Amino acid sequence: MVPDTTTSPRTGRQELLTALGEIEQRVLWLSAATIDHANRVRPNPTGLKVGGHQASCASMVSIMTTLWFHELTADDRVSVKPHASPALHAVNHLLGELPAETLTTLRSFGGLQSYPSRTKDPDPVDYSTGSVGIGATAPIWGALARRYVEGRFPGAGTGRQYALLGDAELDEGACWEAVQDPMVAGLGEVVWIVDLNRQSLDRVVPALSAERLAGMFEAAGWQVLTLKYGEQLTELFSRPGGEALRTRLDTMGNPEYQRLLRCTPAELRDRLPGTGSTREPLERLVATLDDDALHSAVRNLGGHDLGALLDAYAAIDDTRPTVILAYTVKGRGLHSEGHPQNHSSLLTRDQLADLATRTGADPDDPWRPLPDGAAARLCAERAEELRRPPVERIAPPPVPTDFGRTPGGTGTTQQAFGRALLDLSRSAPEAAARVVTVSPDVSSSTNLGGWLNKVGVWSPTERVDWFADDAETILHWRENPTGQHVELGIAETNLVGLLGELGATWSRWGQPLLPIGIMYDPFVNRALEPWQFGIYAGGQSLLVGTPSGVTLAPEGGAHQSITTPSLGLEQPGCTTWEPAFAQDAEWCVLAALSLLGRPDGGSAYLRLSTRPVDQSLAAVPADPAARERRRRQAVAGAYGLRRAEGTPDVTLAAMGAMVPEALAAADRLASLGVAADVVCVTSPGLLFRATQARRGLDDALQWVLDQAFPADRAAPLVTLLDGHPHTLAFLGTVHNTPVTPLGVTHFGQSGALDEVYRHHGIDTESVVRAALDLTHRP
């Protein structure tokens, strides 16, 4: 137990605890009543299960009550575990942030969301949660993002970053990837509070050990505070037989302990003493307790002891991250407390009425305010103390659309990306100052070297570069608080977690950043779920996947991305581009950056390649007006790269690294008397949205279809990409023409580029054959 060091400037400690206790009971009631209303009172004509988690809320009410109604400041931010969403809404209601009638809208269309959402809920929500493990780690990346912003654009303030998470959430590897990252050990504002109720969705967790968890956190440099027993049990430990009681409880397995919570007092007197050496002294101790005292003692855990929680908060060491392991009972105070299947169980009508009686509520008027008194006054005080002033949002600096230079020779889109960042720093320094790049230890291999040498690596403090005077050092690793690149360990989930929080600074503190995350495209799948959750939560960022596809050839199937083009097409809130040429890559990078840091903006995904391509194939127009027209088309999704004389017999629509094969196939087809148009596709997602808009199913711009695929040149289509062919298969619907989609549908092989392309049927020969089949040539 941590020492009692808490005092309150508002009132004496006992008066404070009494007021907090009344608020705690009201939070318990409101969370249960909100879920009950959604399931039993609100009409449900479909008969579908509405759901909710009364037990998961109940285990958190003590922790949340002491946090919001005593500990938090207006600068603090809190991530609340998904299933405690109704408890968060109950807290916000008591703070005057949510009208009572809104509590009746849980899980209804347009109402309170199933899980906390900072973009969809009407009340203050600091972090969206709902995907296990991501909400827990988000405050870590939020702390880092706040430090980064505050160091450049003051106004983000200070404040702790709390995560309230269930113990089962620690099963997620994302939690431990974040906990042990070297960048995290110095983030003293991070506080995790673990609701250690020893239950998961289906069962009591048999082998959960707080001691093992504590050791893992301590090994990562975290402060560990353990709240196991409350005041009543602690006092019993000091009585004759008390040490036997402590030993019995400490050594008891989780399932056995949970079973005790379901026992009557008579059963407790028989079960609690056990069968070993502790039985006699425990029988004597238990005999001194009446039924009520015995019943309450068994469930008197530290995570429900208001005083112990306040003391723990006071003992937080702000020089390093802290985890508070708070033992709790799932369903505490409900009839379902401690039952292994209580996860989504609902109280019966009679049980809800009994809860109302015990918490001082009225089941016929469930949203009745707290009566005048200390608890109501404390709610009003805290509402004033926690009120945040409106955020004044600064518009991001303008990003140029074109640097006015046409790349020549042979180059790759990956090289073009690195060069675009350097050009941005020269052409638009205000915009470049808002750029922050993040990578998981792949900076040098993804062409970020020039950018890093120019802007440096971000670190909270300046560190010595011991290789600064080494003549053979090409990549200079200068770490200081002014750097604009953040390097994490090799964990893609950490990268996109940080990316999401860097992309949310415009809405949190009014300071927009232009965050860019760079990773190997084969590992985008690993990072996809946390990245898309960051987009859902309002984080706007640019994710660059490079290198990509089977074009990696000699590296083999293990490093060949197949599904990422279609994932980019399907991801809400994200525009995906896969440019073929360096000029297109530059334009798309600038277009992506212009989307960031604004209420009407969004995220982007760029899929780049290390395949060297002859840049003259791009045939970038020299005339300024024609060049601008090409740029607009490239950014909008596609452009006609080559038009055959007269009416085409076939259209070859190719994307990214495969455009040279399409051009070569067009030449071969011309020699066979088959006229082929070649369309360079840069964004399948934007083209799909345009086709939907034609049908009234989207509000996207449609003009790109008319310019890239004019009706008077409609012809059978061969689509080609280094990825799954269904990504472009929809293009046949533009003019309802036959289509043969070519791409990659199975794991690749190591080999030379021509061998690998032939193996997957995406080489020039395969394109020619597909076109001849479509045109029915002999």
Side-chain angles (χ1 to χ4, degrees), residues 741-763:
L742 302 180
V744 180
T745 58
H746 52 276
F747 294 117
Q749 298 283 337
S750 295
L753 200 61
D754 58 343
E755 294 173 319
V756 172
Y757 281 0
R758 192 178 310 115
H759 173 71
H760 290 284
I762 55 176
D763 59 330

Side-chain angles (χ1 to χ4, degrees), residues 399-415:
V399 176
T401 58
D402 191 346
F403 293 132
R405 185 191 66 243
T406 303
T410 300
T412 73
T413 54
Q414 179 176 288
Q415 291 169 341

Side-chain angles (χ1 to χ4, degrees), residues 231-250:
E231 182 179 5
Q232 183 184 3
L233 272 177
T234 302
E235 190 277 327
L236 285 177
F237 294 155
S238 66
R239 296 186 188 182
E243 280 303 313
L245 176 60
R246 182 192 291 272
T247 299
R248 172 81 169 113
L249 292 175
D250 282 346

Side-chain angles (χ1 to χ4, degrees), residues 297-535:
V298 169
R299 51 201 22 88
N300 181 229
L301 300 181
H304 299 298
D305 189 299
L306 302 179
L309 286 163
L310 297 183
D311 295 342
Y313 304 150
I316 291 172
D317 174 7
D318 286 319
T319 66
R320 54 182 173 148
T322 295
V323 60
I324 299 174
L325 301 175
Y327 280 78
T328 61
V329 173
K330 191 166 184 176
R332 178 73 158 87
L334 307 180
H335 284 259
S336 61
E337 67 178 1
H339 194 281
Q341 278 89 54
N342 66 6
H343 182 74
S344 56
S345 64
L346 289 172
L347 298 177
T348 66
R349 286 287 185 205
D350 290 343
Q351 290 169 348
L352 191 72
D354 178 65
L355 178 65
T357 300
R358 289 187 286 110
T359 58
D362 182 353
D364 297 322
D365 185 10
W367 324 120
R368 185 181 67 189
L370 283 167
D372 291 340
R377 289 194 298 273
L378 181 57
C379 289
E381 282 181 38
R382 293 298 290 158
E384 287 300 316
E385 293 169 357
L386 294 176
R387 186 159 291 120
R388 298 168 184 163
V391 174
E392 181 182 351
R393 290 177 180 167
I394 297 173
V399 176
T401 58
D402 191 346
F403 293 132
R405 185 191 66 243
T406 303
T410 300
T412 73
T413 54
Q414 179 176 288
Q415 291 169 341
F417 164 70
R419 189 165 53 245
L421 292 183
L422 292 175
D423 286 344
L424 184 70
S425 66
R426 288 187 286 264
S427 301
E430 288 189 5
R434 298 272 174 173
V435 171
V436 52
T437 55
V438 187
S439 72
D441 199 36
V442 293
S443 301
S444 56
S445 57
T446 54
N447 279 86
L448 276 184
W451 168 255
L452 260 67
N453 287 340
K454 183 173 182 62
V455 302
V457 178
W458 182 82
S459 173
T461 58
E462 187 162 358
R463 297 177 181 173
V464 176
D465 180 5
W466 293 105
F467 289 87
D469 59 349
D470 187 330
E472 296 184 7
T473 297
I474 299 175
L475 182 64
H476 297 287
W477 206 259
R478 296 190 302 272
E479 297 179 87
N480 55 66
T482 63
Q484 290 180 244
H485 175 76
V486 182
E487 187 90 355
L488 300 177
I490 304 177
E492 284 76 13
T493 54
N494 286 349
L495 178 141
V496 295
L498 175 56
L499 204 59
E501 291 307 316
L502 290 168
T505 60
W506 67 274
S507 59
R508 288 197 193 282
W509 301 293
Q511 291 289 355
L513 296 175
L514 307 181
I516 304 172
I518 304 95
M519 67 173 63
Y520 290 162
D521 197 69
F523 307 140
V524 166
N525 277 318
R526 184 184 301 172
L528 181 65
E529 194 260 346
W531 186 56
Q532 74 175 6
F533 203 81
I535 295 174

